[in-house]
Amino acid sequence: MSGSQPTSNVTPIEDYAVIGDTQTAALVSREGSIDWLCLPRFDSHACFAALLGTPNNGRWLIRPVDPHARTTRRYLDDSFVLETTHETSTGVVRVLDVMPLGDGRADVLRRIEGVSGTVRMRHEWIVRFSYGRTKPFVSRHTEEREAGIDQIITAMAGPDMIVLRGARLPHAEHWTHVDEFDIAEGESLAFATTWFSSVETIPPPLRVLSRIAETIERSRRWAARSDYDGPYENAVTRSVLVLRLLTHGVTGGIVAAPTTSLPEDFGGERNWDYRYCWLRDAALTLEALLGCGYVEETESWRQWLLRAVAGDPEDIQIMYCVDGSRDLPERELDHLPGYADSRPVRIGNGAVQQWQTDVLGEVMIALEHARQQGLSDNKDSWMLQRVLMDNLAERWQAQDNGLWEVRGPQRHFTHSRVMVWAAFDRAIQGVEEHGLEGPVDRWRELREQVRTEVMEKGWNEEKQTFVQHYDTTEVDASLLTLSAVGFIAGDDPKMLGTIRAVERELMRDGLVLRYRTEVGVDGLNGDEHPFLACSFWLVTAYAKAGMLAEATALMDRLVGLANDVGLLSEEYDPINKRMVGNFPQAFSHLALVGAALALAEATGKARHAPH
């Protein structure tokens, strides 16, 4: 059990909402503070980094002065336009937060509207570049507009420059900009923060109301393309919107989360940077989107994949930067105390150097699914798959770091071996079902060889379960996916035995751990909390096994763990009822979609009342 708990003055992870423009994203607290924002890209340096430090590391706060204000919030329609309503003893005020879509800019718009009475508001604008380290040169200017001359504030450091616009700008005070003002019923104020390169001219202001309306409409149209109408439809819709938010609108790269170093163990060292594109996570994201009818997104990601892995297949990485570049060395930011004193704060990710055999299996499953949905391969895309399969045929027997990127010794992980089987299986389908060319006899031989090995070495007859790796009797939650990828039938006695072993050994207060950390397989100190994707995998495994009552009961609970705006983190602490880990987490949301799809298939229901 994890021993540390966050201090009381730390904003709980579940109290954040996310806004974004498909190029980057910001975390907005319930009280109205933007505590995390990297500009202009997900993997750029943060200019607001209070999430991992203090307000002096950068934030943008707009909230009532009244500390007892009652706050509710929601997303408008199927968008990430966040509406926060604060009710105080003197009145009600509404704040809209949005990052406009579709214009290639990097803007954050905040509009305050008086609903009733009069409310005293607090405004703080604290810009710190380089992850909260660098205080910029800040100055006040005027700019001419059709309606007259307006004041603006600029903040500059090196290549980065930010401009703040608004009808009432805060004043400088000890390296911050602050203001307090009243807003009465019927009044409104709008502010805009815009990033641009310091060598460029200041971008023109936006038309706030029209950009908000256009962003809502663009999101609504995208959500309407979904053809999913099964169980938990509301949760599925929000989850696919999260996955879209985390997909870079220009490059097609899909990041695992917009944050770094939100801890898996409060006060511990399990703090990782997730602002990159894992091939596995991206492929699983495509599986979820394809299951809801989104085929065009697969083509965009496939082109990203072709660019990212171009060259020698021996050089393939498990993750890349948003633009497909390869250089993301891990380093520590000593100037930041970390969320809930969880150190170190890391940027970059050392797992980039790992060998993870399962990755290609996930990629091949997604690309075969795309073919089944009508997205045919072109010459380059199939050639790439053949080259990667040729490389896998030579390397598949090597030990690896596994799905969970363990920093302990490499092993023959059972899940990795099953995903090797899946890679050959989907390559064979490409030949047999879609008329593509390839050494299908060789692939069939290797597929059978891998299957035989897994059944002999990955199965423990005494415990009646598949095991984490060939040298242990421990189980691993990744084994729950064996039926989902087609390696074994969902109601096969071996699969049922594995489900029971996971229930017996990995369940903590009704949720599923990835594995037992106390055996030391991952080479790290400390513990962690149940991993939400693993619990959704158990729902899927139940559904595949025909255990529909168990599947529905667990799914109901998991969907209920989302915060008030439908977002999920990486892990969940069921004892203290708190979210844990990077947020919002693509893995959790894509697994939710997968579980809902499995339940829809198992129940045969075309329509189910939303939960």
Side-chain angles (χ1 to χ4, degrees):
M1 184 70 67
S2 181
S4 298
Q5 292 302 321
T7 55
S8 59
N9 62 345
V10 173
T11 300
I13 292 170
E14 60 270 20
D15 277 4
Y16 285 100
V18 68
I19 59 175
D21 59 4
T22 73
Q23 297 188 67
T24 189
L27 263 59
V28 188
S29 74
R30 182 184 297 275
E31 72 166 3
S33 182
I34 296 179
D35 288 344
W36 182 255
L37 176 60
C38 300
L39 288 171
R41 234 170 54 178
F42 292 107
D43 51 2
S44 299
H45 289 209
C47 61
F48 300 137
L51 179 71
L52 301 178
T54 70
N56 194 48
N57 295 119
R59 73 169 182 178
W60 188 8
L61 172 73
I62 296 178
R63 61 150 295 161
V65 170
D66 182 359
H68 305 296
R70 294 178 296 278
T71 300
T72 57
R73 58 189 181 170
R74 62 174 182 146
Y75 288 122
L76 298 184
D77 296 329
D78 291 327
S79 78
F80 282 99
V81 176
L82 180 68
E83 178 190 85
T84 304
T85 302
H86 303 286
E87 182 179 352
T88 74
S89 59
T90 62
V92 178
V93 67
R94 183 180 298 131
V95 180
L96 285 185
D97 292 317
V98 58
M99 298 183 71
L101 292 172
D103 56 13
R105 292 173 48 131
D107 301 284
V108 182
L109 306 181
R110 312 193 75 179
R111 185 175 187 271
I112 311 162
E113 178 186 359
V115 178
S116 65
T118 299
V119 180
R120 187 73 173 169
M121 300 294 290
R122 174 78 175 177
H123 186 188
E124 297 180 11
W125 192 70
I126 308 171
V127 176
R128 299 288 186 267
F129 293 114
S130 301
Y131 299 102
R133 184 198 299 270
T134 303
K135 293 178 179 177
F137 175 75
V138 182
S139 58
R140 192 177 291 257
H141 308 273
T142 60
E143 66 175 0
E144 294 186 7
R145 297 179 60 187
E146 292 181 4
I149 297 177
D150 289 340
Q151 295 284 319
I152 61 173
I153 298 173
T154 59
M156 179 179 63
D160 300 299
M161 195 163 182
I162 283 177
V163 59
L164 175 67
R165 291 184 170 96
R168 180 189 175 107
L169 295 177
H171 57 271
E173 184 178 296
H174 304 299
W175 290 99
T176 69
H177 281 73
V178 299
D179 189 22
E180 288 189 3
F181 56 88
D182 292 325
I183 188 159
E185 180 178 347
E187 295 179 341
S188 65
L189 285 174
F191 300 94
T193 287
T194 304
W195 176 94
F196 56 102
S197 170
S198 59
V199 301
E200 298 175 348
T201 58
I202 298 175
L206 295 177
R207 298 182 182 274
V208 173
L209 289 177
S210 63
R211 291 302 292 124
I212 292 173
E214 290 163 5
T215 295
I216 293 172
E217 177 60 18
R218 183 183 287 262
S219 294
R220 187 198 62 77
R221 288 200 307 268
W222 189 88
R225 286 175 47 209
S226 172
D227 61 9
Y228 181 80
D229 61 358
Y232 309 94
E233 187 173 357
N234 288 346
V236 169
T237 296
R238 181 51 56 186
S239 289
V240 296
L241 284 165
V242 170
L243 298 178
R244 185 220 185 189
L245 180 78
L246 299 178
T247 302
H248 195 274
V250 176
T251 70
I254 303 171
V255 299
T259 57
T260 180
S261 299
L262 288 180
E264 298 169 11
D265 182 18
F266 293 120
E269 66 171 334
R270 296 170 180 263
N271 318 312
W272 314 110
D273 192 348
Y274 277 13
R275 299 169 303 140
Y276 302 110
C277 304
W278 273 255
L279 295 187
R280 175 196 305 107
D281 296 43
L284 290 168
T285 294
L286 290 182
E287 278 286 286
L289 293 175
L290 284 165
C292 297
Y294 292 98
V295 179
E296 294 176 14
E297 287 69 17
T298 306
E299 172 60 21
S300 177
W301 180 77
R302 192 171 68 180
Q303 291 304 313
W304 177 90
L305 178 68
L306 285 167
R307 296 191 302 270
V309 305
D312 189 339
E314 292 286 341
D315 295 333
I316 189 173
Q317 297 182 174
I318 64 166
M319 73 179 82
Y320 298 83
C321 295
V322 169
D323 61 0
S325 56
R326 297 166 175 255
D327 189 19
L328 49 155
E330 186 175 299
R331 62 188 179 93
E332 299 176 2
L333 301 181
D334 295 333
H335 68 280
L336 288 173
Y339 181 89
D341 297 320
S342 304
R343 297 181 180 90
V345 171
R346 294 182 171 95
I347 58 172
N349 200 305
V352 69
Q353 302 296 332
Q354 291 186 357
W355 170 243
Q356 297 175 15
T357 319
D358 71 290
V359 168
L360 185 54
E362 305 291 4
V363 170
M364 294 299 290
I365 288 173
L367 293 177
E368 171 58 24
H369 193 171
R371 285 191 287 269
Q372 294 172 359
Q373 295 277 11
L375 182 64
S376 59
D377 277 287
N378 57 43
K379 178 181 177 182
D380 289 340
S381 65
W382 179 245
M383 181 181 298
L384 169 66
Q385 292 167 67
R386 283 196 55 175
V387 168
L388 294 176
M389 292 305 301
D390 288 344
N391 183 251
L392 182 64
E394 298 298 322
R395 298 184 64 182
W396 74 269
Q397 292 180 313
Q399 295 179 326
D400 77 328
N401 299 91
L403 167 72
W404 305 126
E405 300 177 354
V406 299
R407 301 198 175 197
Q410 291 184 329
R411 305 282 189 179
H412 291 117
F413 287 99
T414 301
H415 172 266
S416 294
R417 286 298 200 264
V418 169
M419 296 312 298
V420 169
W421 175 91
F424 288 122
D425 183 71
R426 281 12 179 228
I428 292 165
Q429 286 184 333
V431 174
E432 293 181 341
E433 299 180 16
H434 303 282
L436 300 168
E437 295 184 358
V440 67
D441 291 337
R442 174 63 172 155
W443 288 343
R444 290 195 195 100
E445 177 185 336
L446 288 169
R447 181 179 63 178
E448 186 57 31
Q449 185 178 341
V450 176
R451 180 178 181 82
T452 299
E453 181 192 281
V454 171
M455 289 300 190
E456 291 178 355
K457 298 181 179 180
W459 171 258
N460 185 285
E461 184 66 23
E462 181 179 352
K463 291 185 66 175
Q464 288 292 295
T465 182
F466 288 103
V467 292
Q468 183 181 49
H469 58 80
Y470 292 172
D471 301 316
T472 188
T473 60
E474 293 285 324
V475 293
D476 187 299
S478 63
L479 302 169
L480 294 169
T481 67
L482 268 57
S483 57
V485 303
F487 182 79
I488 192 170
D491 59 355
D492 187 287
K494 285 183 168 60
M495 191 66 208
L496 297 177
T498 301
I499 291 172
R500 295 308 181 199
V502 168
E503 292 174 329
R504 186 171 60 247
E505 300 182 26
L506 297 183
M507 294 287 274
R508 178 181 290 176
D509 298 287
L511 302 177
V512 183
L513 298 166
R514 295 191 295 177
Y515 48 81
R516 295 199 310 139
T517 56
E518 55 265 36
V519 301
V521 68
D522 60 18
L524 297 167
N525 295 317
D527 196 6
E528 63 181 30
H529 299 276
F531 198 82
L532 288 174
C534 297
S535 296
F536 285 115
W537 286 347
L538 182 56
V539 172
T540 299
Y542 281 151
K544 296 285 186 182
M547 302 166 65
L548 299 184
E550 293 91 336
T552 301
L554 181 54
M555 188 70 169
D556 283 344
R557 183 182 180 195
L558 290 169
V559 170
L561 296 181
N563 72 356
D564 57 320
V565 288
L567 304 179
L568 293 167
S569 62
E570 181 179 19
E571 300 179 3
Y572 190 81
D573 175 2
I575 302 297
N576 296 285
K577 296 180 171 30
R578 290 210 46 176
M579 291 190 180
V580 185
N582 283 305
F583 172 87
Q585 175 65 248
F587 219 161
S588 299
H589 284 281
L590 66 87
L592 182 155
V593 176
L597 289 167
L599 270 169
E601 180 181 10
T603 58
K605 293 182 179 179
R607 171 69 66 176
H608 186 87
H611 282 60

